[in-house]
Amino acid sequence: MFNDVEQNFIQAMMDLGLNLQLLGQNRSLAAGGLGEDEIREQIIQQALEASDIASIGLEVGHRISLDRLGVFGYALMNSVNVDAALKLLLQYQRALMPHVSLSLLPAGEDFALVCHAKHLSAKHERFTVESLFVIVRNCVESLFPHASEQQLYRFDYPEPSYGNRYRELLGDQVSFAEAQNAIIIPADMLQREIAQADPISEALYRQQCDELSKKLGRASQLSSRVQQILLRNRGQFLSAVEVATKLNMSESSLRRKLRLEGNSFQQLLDQIRLHLAQQYLKNTQLSIAEVGRLIGYDDVANFRKAFKRWSGELPSKWRQQS
């Protein structure tokens, strides 16, 4: 799962009174993450069994808005239209929610975003469907106010005792005991343009999603978490102390754990800075000095030296060759 998405799930569940650290009794929780997929599923299952909030999935989803989805959220906001945003969701679904399968299928004249999670327990599956559908609704509402009212939300289980909460969060277009869990999207909505879309930003965020998705399959959890935090705060370039604080650990623990993974905080920071600098050089007409300032170098000479140390080329030469 993209780590800022995962972190928001963790925080939302803890806000609702679920002590995941206590339930998990797992070292990965000390680093602020839920660990590998199997461990994550076990811990969420334990949390759901311990919760006395029937509508826990809806409540978690309600707490996660578009601006809390990190790099993926920014990529969505900069997609050209709804169709492109949905394709982005389908492309990165495994990185976002590893235990869920999503598909976009024809549904008469409309389309259905179908959620499959039958390998999970009934309670875990319901939690997943509830939280995902409310998050999708939040995203649509952020991009197109009131457009979510055009969508239908179908659930393959009988209406639960808290059915009114579904209608409070999803609107009146909710039905139960359907053939599948699906969001029905009007066909004409797919071509609806996203007002704040920016092609350059979209390309940048999509590449970041590509790289992070690949790294999540091979890089360690903590290193990926650090990279996500640095990317999400790329205008500030947080210090090791600030990142450690966000991960609920000391700076010394952060550096020690990164060393065990064969990384250092500076290496990760330099990787992010190089990637962003290359994207700005390739996709914008910004001057070398302006690019340097965007990645934290007020002195253009220092930026040139750093860029050459990272890439072997001066930024002007790299731009000419890209």
Side-chain angles (χ1 to χ4, degrees):
M1 185 184 289
F2 281 162
N3 286 297
D4 20 13
V5 179
E6 179 177 333
Q7 181 62 27
N8 278 303
F9 264 87
I10 295 171
Q11 188 60 55
M13 294 180 78
M14 295 184 75
D15 288 346
L16 292 165
L18 296 173
N19 191 331
L20 297 187
Q21 291 182 319
L22 180 61
L23 286 168
Q25 296 180 343
N26 181 277
R27 286 185 61 192
S28 65
L29 288 176
L34 285 178
E36 299 301 323
D37 293 349
E38 296 80 4
I39 297 174
R40 179 190 294 110
E41 290 182 16
Q42 292 174 9
I43 294 172
I44 291 178
Q45 183 62 39
Q46 291 177 37
L48 296 177
E49 294 295 339
S51 174
D52 58 1
I53 303 174
S55 60
I56 183 75
L58 299 176
E59 309 309 331
V60 168
H62 184 48
R63 285 163 170 75
I64 300 177
S65 54
L66 180 60
D67 59 359
R68 296 185 67 185
L69 294 180
V71 171
F72 179 73
Y74 292 125
L76 284 179
M77 284 187 275
N78 285 281
S79 298
V80 63
N81 55 26
V82 173
D83 184 51
L86 283 172
K87 288 177 179 176
L88 193 75
L89 173 61
L90 295 173
Q91 180 177 351
Y92 299 110
Q93 59 173 298
R94 289 298 184 185
L96 285 161
M97 302 182 77
H99 52 283
V100 174
S101 175
L102 296 175
S103 54
L104 188 65
L105 305 173
E109 296 181 354
D110 299 320
F111 289 89
L113 181 64
V114 182
C115 177
H116 307 274
K118 292 301 180 185
H119 64 288
L120 301 175
S121 70
K123 183 174 287 189
H124 193 171
E125 180 190 12
R126 183 174 299 189
F127 166 83
T128 299
V129 172
E130 289 178 344
S131 57
L132 175 63
F133 281 21
V134 176
I135 291 171
V136 170
R137 186 265 179 200
N138 291 344
C139 291
V140 171
E141 197 65 17
S142 293
L143 296 172
F144 309 105
H146 308 300
S148 60
E149 298 171 1
Q150 303 174 31
Q151 298 177 163
L152 308 179
Y153 300 88
R154 295 177 176 173
F155 302 91
D156 69 358
Y157 44 83
E159 180 171 347
S161 60
Y162 52 94
N164 285 339
R165 187 59 173 155
Y166 281 79
R167 296 177 184 89
E168 290 174 2
L169 297 180
L170 297 172
D172 294 329
Q173 304 299 319
V174 173
S175 59
F176 298 90
E178 298 282 357
Q180 56 194 0
N181 296 304
I183 302 175
I184 308 302
I185 304 169
D188 59 2
M189 188 176 178
L190 295 183
Q191 299 309 314
R192 191 164 179 178
E193 295 182 353
I194 297 175
Q196 61 265 52
D198 177 70
I200 293 176
S201 296
E202 193 272 343
L204 172 63
Y205 291 127
R206 182 179 286 273
Q207 183 163 348
Q208 291 173 7
C209 286
D210 284 338
E211 294 187 2
L212 290 170
S213 182
K214 292 175 184 176
K215 287 174 182 175
L216 285 171
R218 64 175 184 266
S220 64
Q221 177 112 358
L222 182 57
S223 294
S224 295
R225 290 279 330 255
V226 170
Q227 288 178 316
Q228 284 278 351
I229 291 172
L230 290 172
L231 278 170
R232 188 167 56 181
N233 297 273
R234 70 191 193 285
Q236 305 171 39
F237 290 101
L238 304 180
S239 67
V241 173
E242 292 171 316
V243 171
T245 299
K246 288 183 176 292
L247 292 169
N248 299 315
M249 65 176 71
S250 67
E251 180 188 7
S252 59
S253 293
L254 172 64
R255 293 188 183 279
R256 175 175 56 80
K257 291 178 179 181
L258 288 176
R259 281 198 302 273
L260 292 174
E261 297 171 358
N263 275 315
S264 71
F265 179 82
Q266 191 61 50
Q267 286 175 330
L268 296 175
L269 177 59
D270 287 347
Q271 289 170 11
I272 296 297
R273 279 177 158 161
L274 173 61
H275 169 71
L276 291 174
Q278 289 175 332
Q279 291 305 303
Y280 291 133
L281 290 169
K282 182 177 181 180
N283 297 313
T284 76
Q285 298 301 313
L286 295 172
S287 68
I288 301 300
E290 289 172 323
V291 171
R293 282 194 291 273
L294 282 173
I295 67 165
Y297 285 87
D298 292 328
D299 187 315
V300 67
N302 288 338
F303 168 57
R304 289 194 178 98
K305 291 177 184 177
F307 190 94
K308 186 171 184 179
R309 184 174 71 252
W310 300 331
S311 68
E313 301 280 3
L314 288 171
S316 56
K317 186 173 182 180
W318 188 92
R319 171 176 265 174
Q320 292 172 356
Q321 296 173 344
S322 65

